[in-house]
Amino acid sequence: MLETLQTLDRRWIFLAMFLAVAVPLIMGTTFPEEPSDQVMAVFDAVENLPDGSNVVMALDYDPASEGELQPMASAFTRHCALKKHNIYFMTLWPQGGPMIQRSTELLENDYPETYKGKYGTKYVNLGFRAGNEGVIKLVVEDLKKSYDTDVQGTNLNDIPLTKNLKNIQQVDLLCNVSAGYPGSKEWVLYGSAPFDIPTVIGCTGVQAPIMLPYIPQQLTGMLAAIKGAAEYEQAIINAYPELNDNLAAKEGLKRMGPQLVAHVLLICLIALGNVIYFWERKQGTS
Amino acid sequence: MKRTIPLFISAVTGFVLIGTAFIPKFVDWGNDAMAWFNLLAAFAFILGGGNLLKMQLQKISAQQPGWGYAAVTLIAFFITLFVGLAKVGVNPSVKFPEFAWSGEFQEEGSAFWWLFEYIFYPLSATMFALLAFYISSAAFRAFRAKNTEATILLSIAVIVLLGRTYAGVWLTGWLPNEPIIGSSGITYSDFHLPHLSQIIMDDFTTPGMRAITIGIALGVASTSLKVLLGVDRSYLGSDQEA
């Protein structure tokens, strides 16, 4: 038996991982989540703003990390929509434009009474600008030096939401969803920390340890990986029970099923690998 | 001369940007410098494209192994560039209907949108998803308890992996909220896997990362000063004076 495992073709491991992810995903298995204090800090930051507040939604990720981050971006957007906040979308990633499109579609389709046909008065898409942290430094000082038009080419002075907005120090909250550089760290270093802009973020699991030192001083809260997204969705559902029947509002919760089985499989593989290792050592072959 | 001018520009811009943090009068200068920086960053895309062309053409002309992939890269690059620049399939914007190219290049239904949604998006997502397969294979073959440090790392990995899913609740959710020994303050429920996972993040990862971050910041500050004072010229390509 151990000899067979010693020379196990890795394609069997790939098949096991494929099934571990695919089966719970197809079955739509979900598990109860209890929002942690950190996630509740993010929830409260959005929830406690008066209805109709101004929120910058900076979505700095691409399709590669969409699996992990889109549920967060959707949850942030949904929560802001429930509070009827005014939303300014922007991205520092060239591939971020279509990611913003998913959120604007969510606003228009799921909350038509507040956002349908309200482009420019309830939400605006500033799109992508090159320059990484340079863009952040400019938008916190002088927005129109970096963005003179929105994504459709309309001058910001002709858009009601941006007409009187000098810089994003004037907004009530900054929400950032990021997959790396430029992203959350740059927003904290050049945006929120020097100007005390209340900021919440959502980031990948890999990025989470890097961002932990900034909580709670520079960052109000953080959603870490798909677990953070699932807990945030649960917090929103707890506050707005009508979302319980909305499957689109449970994307993160649905992805915790595959995560559970994949993690258990990983632990089994590590344990099995170590059994083989110690067996080999006993045999004197390692 | 060709080194002195870049050094001068770097030093002046750098000190102006430092000045903006302390002197309100410098804020507008700093904003102008950043606006210039953003323009340069946009031009960097052209340099990036040029570099891509050069590298791939070199591979093709030298018939290096895998040169066919270089050819595919170039073809994809030119198709995407053409479709984006020519705004193929883009409708004029409502605001400027008289200008054929006034629409948004990424608008739904355009050729660029099609390329992004049906080629770039699935390829990019697939590449990232493949990580799960390689991680599982690596976990089986390389994650060994070879020594004390590796064993500690392994144990922590298992706690975090279980604690970040409902498996942690299943396995340890039954532990009662009762003190273990008298009035020590430690309860059985302190050993819930999600709780242990949180302790690892809060009490070990955060201080560790804080120390690393402060160290990096000090390193960045000293390197930046060396660049601004012209001591470190490696960013110009060589230490040799021209």
Side-chain angles (χ1 to χ4, degrees), chain A residues 176-246:
Chain A
N176 174 248
V177 181
S178 127
Y181 174 83
S184 304
K185 190 170 181 178
E186 287 67 38
W187 275 108
V188 169
L189 295 182
Y190 302 103
S192 52
F195 300 99
D196 287 329
I197 303 171
T199 304
V200 290
I201 63 160
C203 63
T204 59
V206 179
Q207 249 188 305
I210 300 166
M211 298 311 298
L212 278 172
Y214 299 110
I215 299 170
Q217 287 296 317
Q218 292 88 355
L219 273 178
T220 309
M222 170 174 75
L223 307 179
I226 206 71
K227 168 88 170 159
E231 288 180 10
Y232 185 42
E233 284 176 354
Q234 190 60 58
I236 298 173
I237 290 170
N238 291 345
Y240 301 92
E242 67 271 18
L243 287 175
N244 219 357
D245 302 325
N246 187 346

Side-chain angles (χ1 to χ4, degrees), chain A residues 253-273:
Chain A
L253 286 162
K254 275 192 284 182
R255 290 176 201 197
M256 282 307 286
Q259 175 134 320
L260 184 146
V261 185
H263 278 197
V264 171
L265 175 67
L266 269 180
I267 290 166
C268 293
L269 286 170
I270 292 170
L272 200 59

Side-chain angles (χ1 to χ4, degrees), chain A residues 3-267:
Chain A
E3 284 92 344
T4 317
L5 287 171
Q6 215 178 358
T7 54
L8 185 72
D9 191 327
R10 65 177 176 171
R11 282 175 291 187
W12 288 110
I13 297 172
F14 291 173
L15 179 68
M17 182 51 82
F18 172 74
L19 293 173
V21 174
V23 172
L25 205 61
I26 292 165
M27 289 172 68
T29 318
T30 58
F31 299 98
E33 288 292 338
E34 196 182 321
S36 63
D37 293 344
Q38 210 175 92
V39 169
M40 283 314 291
V42 174
F43 176 83
D44 291 339
V46 180
E47 183 69 15
N48 293 342
L49 290 175
D51 284 11
S53 298
N54 294 329
V55 176
V56 166
M57 192 82 71
L59 304 183
D60 303 322
Y61 61 96
D62 62 357
S65 38
E66 198 201 14
E68 200 171 0
L69 298 179
Q70 188 59 44
M72 288 178 200
S74 298
F76 272 134
T77 309
R78 194 177 296 283
H79 196 188
C80 288
L82 289 163
K83 293 286 294 175
K84 297 183 170 60
H85 293 328
N86 303 320
I87 310 175
Y88 301 81
F89 289 100
M90 60 181 291
T91 178
L92 302 174
W93 284 40
Q95 309 95 321
M99 306 297 113
I100 291 178
Q101 221 165 25
R102 282 151 177 69
S103 289
T104 55
E105 278 166 13
L106 189 152
L107 288 179
E108 292 254 351
N109 298 335
D110 289 15
Y111 301 92
E113 68 286 355
T114 318
Y115 294 96
K116 185 92 178 165
K118 302 276 178 64
Y119 182 84
T121 53
K122 285 303 289 179
Y123 74 97
V124 65
N125 181 359
L126 300 175
F128 163 72
R129 281 292 179 277
N132 304 333
E133 52 270 70
V135 177
I136 301 173
K137 279 187 77 74
L138 266 187
V139 295
V140 290
E141 294 274 11
D142 192 345
L143 173 76
K144 284 159 195 167
K145 263 208 166 129
S146 184
Y147 285 93
D148 49 352
T149 64
D150 73 344
V151 78
Q152 295 169 356
T154 312
N155 194 302
L156 292 198
N157 291 323
D158 299 331
I159 299 174
L161 268 185
T162 50
K163 196 164 57 182
N164 297 318
L165 188 75
K166 177 164 168 39
N167 56 43
I168 67 162
Q169 290 178 52
Q170 295 172 335
V171 301
D172 303 297
L173 183 71
L174 170 64
C175 289
N176 174 248
V177 181
S178 127
Y181 174 83
S184 304
K185 190 170 181 178
E186 287 67 38
W187 275 108
V188 169
L189 295 182
Y190 302 103
S192 52
F195 300 99
D196 287 329
I197 303 171
T199 304
V200 290
I201 63 160
C203 63
T204 59
V206 179
Q207 249 188 305
I210 300 166
M211 298 311 298
L212 278 172
Y214 299 110
I215 299 170
Q217 287 296 317
Q218 292 88 355
L219 273 178
T220 309
M222 170 174 75
L223 307 179
I226 206 71
K227 168 88 170 159
E231 288 180 10
Y232 185 42
E233 284 176 354
Q234 190 60 58
I236 298 173
I237 290 170
N238 291 345
Y240 301 92
E242 67 271 18
L243 287 175
N244 219 357
D245 302 325
N246 187 346
L247 284 180
K250 295 179 171 180
E251 266 311 313
L253 286 162
K254 275 192 284 182
R255 290 176 201 197
M256 282 307 286
Q259 175 134 320
L260 184 146
V261 185
H263 278 197
V264 171
L265 175 67
L266 269 180
I267 290 166

